[in-house]
Amino acid sequence: MRIGITCYPTYGGSGVVATELGMELAARGHEIHFISYAPPIRMNPNDPRIHFHEVEVASYPLFDHPPYTLALATKMLEVFESESLDLLHVHYAIPHSVSALLARSMAAPRRLPFITTLHGTDITLVGSNRSYLPITKFSIEQSDGVTCISNYLLKETIKDFDIKRPIEVIPNFVNCDLYNRTADKGLAAQWAPGGEPILMHLSNFRPVKRVPDVVEIFAIVRGAMPAKLILVGDGPDRGAAEFLVRKYGLQKDVLFLGKQDNVYEKLAAADLFLLPSQLESFGLAALEAMACEVPVIATNVGGVPEVVEHGVDGFLVEPGDVGEAARYAIEILSRTDRGREMGKIARLHAKKNYCANDVIPAYESYYKRVLEQS
Ligand code: GMT
């Protein structure tokens, strides 16, 4: 198939899923055309089946906000025509779904079906905002196919948007060959030369991730035992987290890596992963950690309990309960095996339920169904 994929190319779960999906599909012989304002962060530009088409947004003094949605729709049509696309697959409804709807209308009577994948805040925060709700609902209803990444998000979408059309749950996935324990290339020894346990967090540091809670949890753990904290990613709350590190005098034990490629090499060096988010429709970073045999302490919110089983793959706490999270962290890290058994079970669960080898074919058969029906 010749598939156009649109996503946010910056640091964020929906862009990561879209990019990994494109690369997995390319590995299975499909031609993939990413259409966005910048190359997606994890995209492999050297794959001959992967192509990138930049959306250029012309500015004009009259435009306080250059109309990206329109420029994207125009580029979608252009790529459809030049590359004979079979379909468009857009990730994150706002505004990508609306652009795809415009592109499909412009392409008519030629056929340009589009599939929208809902990821989370496009429904739970942004989409349910009054100014976006009607158009998001409309573009979901008009899509030729709609998928979402967890059962939780399916329920929220039906509830908040009163959607009557079918929505397919196709969960997020992880490449289990790439994400595994042996991916650590000596980083653990570099970060914790004294053999201290390593706690890790990976996110876009948006307020919804509660990154300051990561530092609060670590401060309690560090008060009880030697330990190191590695923070991967960047975003608005990095400053708040750095402030707390200084406040608690933890500079020697906390490392901010910023945005990173090949995150599997970093995750494989961790003993424990922290995801204390206010809300997660899925929690992709937790799944990636689990594939690397890292137990997870996360919050009992949204779709996270579909991924992390409390007491089995790690532990779930209420948002903001840093004390409880720290108690579980100390419990895991004080064991002589530092939670290795739990980590092994976590990987088994990741492999059984969310392996790319099983989830990508689900997307392929969904594409076929949509093409047959549209
Ligand atoms: O809001 C975010 O955290 C970013 C957002 C995104 O679209 O980049 O993440 C959402 O999509 C991810 C990939 O499907 C999920 O793993 C995250 O749980 C989800 N975030 C939220 O629901 C808050």
Side-chain angles (χ1 to χ4, degrees), residues 169-187:
V169 177
I170 303 183
N172 286 340
F173 56 88
V174 63
N175 182 322
C176 302
D177 301 327
L178 209 53
Y179 286 73
N180 67 68
R181 197 68 197 161
T182 58
D184 171 32
K185 303 284 178 281
L187 286 172

Side-chain angles (χ1 to χ4, degrees), residues 12-14 92 119-121 172 204 206 209 279-284:
S14 61
Y92 209 89
H119 281 270
T121 49
N172 286 340
N204 49 29
R206 294 203 188 119
K209 304 291 177 188
L279 183 61
E280 286 292 346
S281 298
F282 187 90
L284 179 65

Side-chain angles (χ1 to χ4, degrees), residues 98-146:
V98 177
S99 300
L101 177 56
L102 287 171
R104 185 183 68 186
S105 305
M106 288 189 286
R110 294 161 298 173
R111 196 174 66 136
L112 177 55
F114 76 95
I115 293 167
T116 301
T117 289
L118 309 171
H119 281 270
T121 49
D122 45 354
I123 296 300
T124 53
L125 294 180
V126 189
S128 50
N129 179 300
R130 272 167 182 269
S131 49
Y132 297 118
L133 195 144
I135 197 156
T136 308
K137 178 173 158 62
F138 183 67
S139 65
I140 290 171
E141 282 166 342
Q142 292 294 316
S143 302
D144 296 280
V146 182

Side-chain angles (χ1 to χ4, degrees), residues 2-15:
R2 305 174 70 80
I3 303 159
I5 295 184
T6 287
C7 63
Y8 283 104
T10 48
Y11 217 59
S14 61

